[in-house]
Amino acid sequence: MNEQRTRQHLETEELERVAMQEGTLPAPRREHLDGCARCRRELASLEELHVALSGLPYHAPSPGFADAVMSRVDLAKPWYVQLLTRNWTPVAGVSAGALALAAIGFWTWLFTRGGVALESVLSVAAEWARTALWDLVVGAGRILVDTGIGPTAVEAAQSLTPGAAAAILAVLAVLGTLASVTVFKLMELPVPALGSARRS
Amino acid sequence: MDYEAQTDEELAQLCEGGDERAARELVSRFERPLFSLIRRTVRDQELAEDLAQEAFVRAFNHLDSFDPSYQFSSWLFKIGHNLAIDHVRKKGLDTVSIEGAPDAVSQERQEATSITLEARGERPDEVAEARALGDEIEEAIGELRPEYRTAVMLRHIEGHSYREIAEIMDTPLGTVKTYIHRARGELQDRLAHLRPEGSEA
Ligand SMILES: [Zn+2]
């Protein structure tokens, strides 16, 4: 048996194993290779070809390749990731519509049942609005100071063309006027005393 | 997580859970091998880029049909090979490719060769010589039948086993062996003139 294996020439797979360094030959086969000029010649030729082919450099796709792939990939995400990344616009639209309908319904019900005075409800709302508005103004100011957006805004303003600056000032003026009018209107409404919201 | 330390198959499973960074890692591992395989099959830079992109997209979007007991690379190459060979068959490029290798000495390939070699610190004349040799080999590969070309590249450049190549090419094992045997024979004939005089005892 071993005698037979020592005499036979090497199979292609055996030659490949040696040429491509994928493993070793059993002793009898190794012995044959060492003593057989024909097998050694075949091995040398295969090694040569393998070195030439495996040494070829890869072709490279263009630099934006990975981004192009990723922009077209839609990986199946787990439910919590889907929840965060899905498009909420339609849901938000429907919810806002439903809320508006509910609010209109509530107000209609309030005024048609006659139990509550319109002014008292409005004054509660006005009080909330005043507090929220004040918090908003103070908070925004603090953010501007803390983050250094103030100075950045000044720099940005300096790079504006006179026309653009005038346009922005005009928009700010209109917005400011509207805001002031709203605040003053809210101030005119009476602050409610709890419990007085019912018509006597 | 250290994505670079993960195996291809682990990354594929992370992708299936929606992990985009795992997908990017797989792209960075296989963009060159896959692109090279396809480019050498279709022999057109732009087309190869489109097909390689398509292969990655199909692989990632159909991860549910990937069996993790297989190699990810085999699966990806199978998708890429199918796309490329479909294209070659549709265009009847099998016959055209025999006429010559118009892109074998293309600019970007020469650059790729020189970058690799210069990075290894070789002398300019050695670089030029290796580049010329690379072009000769590239041209010889280009003259093979597409099936031979794919099989011999998967064996010698990618180091896949015969079984894996049979899987990738969806071809019986015996046929793959024949392809590779013939491809090597043709390549050895075409490259014989590169051998130094007298070395062929
Ligand atoms: Zn022998």
Side-chain angles (χ1 to χ4, degrees), chain B residues 25-39:
Chain B
E25 174 64 24
L26 282 173
V27 173
S28 88
R29 280 185 198 183
F30 290 110
E31 59 179 348
R32 283 167 179 251
L34 180 71
F35 175 73
S36 300
L37 184 80
I38 294 177
R39 193 187 182 288

Side-chain angles (χ1 to χ4, degrees), chain A residues 12-13 16 20 22 41 45-46 48-50 54 57-60 62 65 67-68 72 74 76 78, chain B residues 16-18 24 31 36 39-40 45 49 53-54 61 109 138 155-156 158 162 177 184 188 195 201:
Chain A
T12 309
E13 279 97 296
E16 274 184 34
M20 298 173 67
E22 289 182 335
R41 202 165 51 235
S45 151
L46 185 59
E48 192 181 48
L49 186 68
H50 179 64
S54 60
Y58 279 130
H59 294 283
S62 57
F65 182 81
D67 288 330
R72 291 180 54 203
D74 183 24
Chain B
E16 215 181 339
R24 278 195 181 267
E31 59 179 348
S36 300
R39 193 187 182 288
R40 286 178 177 130
Q45 175 85 9
E49 198 149 330
Q53 199 189 100
E54 182 63 28
N61 287 349
R109 218 200 62 68
E138 201 77 56
R155 184 77 190 110
H156 286 282
E158 295 307 324
Y162 281 92
K177 285 184 184 174
R184 281 203 290 242
Q188 274 159 344
R195 215 174 271 134

Side-chain angles (χ1 to χ4, degrees), chain A residues 150-192:
Chain A
T152 316
V154 170
E155 272 178 40
Q158 281 167 344
S159 64
L160 286 174
T161 62
I168 289 171
L169 277 178
V171 170
L172 284 179
V174 171
L175 285 177
T177 312
L178 283 175
S180 312
V181 169
T182 311
V183 171
F184 280 115
K185 285 283 176 204
L186 288 173
M187 293 291 189
E188 281 170 13
L189 288 165
V191 177

Side-chain angles (χ1 to χ4, degrees), chain A:
Chain A
M1 181 69 195
N2 256 11
E3 184 66 16
Q4 173 80 10
R5 280 169 56 92
T6 313
R7 259 187 275 137
Q8 264 177 358
H9 289 304
L10 261 62
E11 304 277 342
T12 309
E13 279 97 296
E14 292 173 310
L15 288 167
E16 274 184 34
R17 210 182 307 158
V18 182
M20 298 173 67
Q21 299 171 357
E22 289 182 335
T24 50
L25 293 178
R29 309 303 288 141
R30 184 82 235 173
E31 206 177 300
H32 171 87
L33 180 64
D34 289 342
C36 175
R38 178 181 142 179
C39 281
R40 282 216 309 276
R41 202 165 51 235
E42 276 195 40
L43 177 64
S45 151
L46 185 59
E47 272 172 341
E48 192 181 48
L49 186 68
H50 179 64
V51 166
L53 291 175
S54 60
L56 279 181
Y58 279 130
H59 294 283
S62 57
F65 182 81
D67 288 330
V69 169
M70 293 311 295
S71 73
R72 291 180 54 203
V73 166
D74 183 24
L75 295 177
K77 298 182 178 71
W79 65 269
Y80 47 90
V81 180
Q82 279 183 6
L83 219 59
L84 287 173
T85 53
R86 67 169 294 172
N87 182 6
W88 283 105
T89 318
V91 180
V94 169
S95 309
L99 267 177
L101 277 178
I104 291 167
F106 177 68
W107 283 91
T108 314
W109 170 75
L110 260 187
F111 298 130
T112 50
R113 72 189 276 272
V116 182
L118 171 63
E119 303 83 61
S120 59
V121 176
L122 277 181
S123 64
V124 174
E127 178 58 16
W128 283 351
R130 267 197 290 259
T131 318
L133 202 64
W134 181 246
D135 288 350
L136 199 69
V137 169
V138 172
R142 188 165 293 150
I143 288 170
L144 280 179
V145 172
D146 289 352
T147 57
I149 288 175
T152 316
V154 170
E155 272 178 40
Q158 281 167 344
S159 64
L160 286 174
T161 62
I168 289 171
L169 277 178
V171 170
L172 284 179
V174 171
L175 285 177
T177 312
L178 283 175
S180 312
V181 169
T182 311
V183 171
F184 280 115
K185 285 283 176 204
L186 288 173
M187 293 291 189
E188 281 170 13
L189 288 165
V191 177
L194 283 175
S196 71
R198 258 168 201 290
R199 195 172 274 175
S200 53

